[in-house]
């Protein structure tokens, strides 16, 4: 029996991704509009993270399991790669992104969230 990925605790996951969509999107919009020249890579990555969070919110809401799994893979790769690069080469990231230092500025939630999402999706098969 297949159950909806957006039901029960899945609703909390949708809410968290929706909140992160707004937070990352608003942050990126302000950074890009006011000081893009200071850290174009970091601000572009924040905008990309916001798009991934929007995609995840919609995919979970609509029950699009395959799309959600792909987006979770992108999110996990992003937070691990950007997190590592931001620690190894801080000069390349003069300002933080959502995924810098594994989401330190967001209480490491960006690092934990894709694991929770993957657990939820794979458990709900």
């Amino acid at each position: 029996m297949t159950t909806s990925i957006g039901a029960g605790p899945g609703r909390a996951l949708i809410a968290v991704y929706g909140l992160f969509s707004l937070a990352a999107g608003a942050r990126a919009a302000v950074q890009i509009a006011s000081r893009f020249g200071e850290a174009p890579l970091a601000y572009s990555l924040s905008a990309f993270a916001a798009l991934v969070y929007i995609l995840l919110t919609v995919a979970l809401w609509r029950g699009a399991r395959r799309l959600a799994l792909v987006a979770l893979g992108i999110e996990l790769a992003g937070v691990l790669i950007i997190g590592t690069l931001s620690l190894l080469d801080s000069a390349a990231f003069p300002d933080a992104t959502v995924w810098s230092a594994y989401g330190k500025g967001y209480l490491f939630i960006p690092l934990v969230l894709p694991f929770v999402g993957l657990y939820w999706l794979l458990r709900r098969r």
Side-chain angles (χ1 to χ4, degrees), residues 5-6 10-11 13-22 50-64 68 71:
I5 59 176
R11 289 184 184 176
L13 197 56
I14 293 168
V16 170
Y17 273 114
L19 180 63
F20 267 76
S21 299
L22 291 172
L51 292 175
V52 171
Y53 291 143
I54 290 167
L55 180 63
L56 273 162
T57 304
V58 172
L60 291 168
W61 181 269
R62 294 168 82 38

Side-chain angles (χ1 to χ4, degrees), residues 27-74:
R27 176 183 183 160
V30 168
Q31 290 171 326
I32 289 170
S34 63
R35 49 197 171 126
F36 184 72
E38 293 176 21
L41 176 62
Y43 301 153
S44 296
L45 287 170
S46 285
F48 178 72
L51 292 175
V52 171
Y53 291 143
I54 290 167
L55 180 63
L56 273 162
T57 304
V58 172
L60 291 168
W61 181 269
R62 294 168 82 38
R65 181 183 306 276
R66 194 171 300 175
L67 179 59
L69 283 170
V70 169
L72 283 166
I74 293 169

Side-chain angles (χ1 to χ4, degrees), residues 106-121:
Y106 288 86
L107 304 174
F108 298 102
I109 295 170
L111 177 61
V112 174
L113 204 51
F115 290 106
V116 172
L118 286 169
Y119 172 78
W120 178 251
L121 284 179

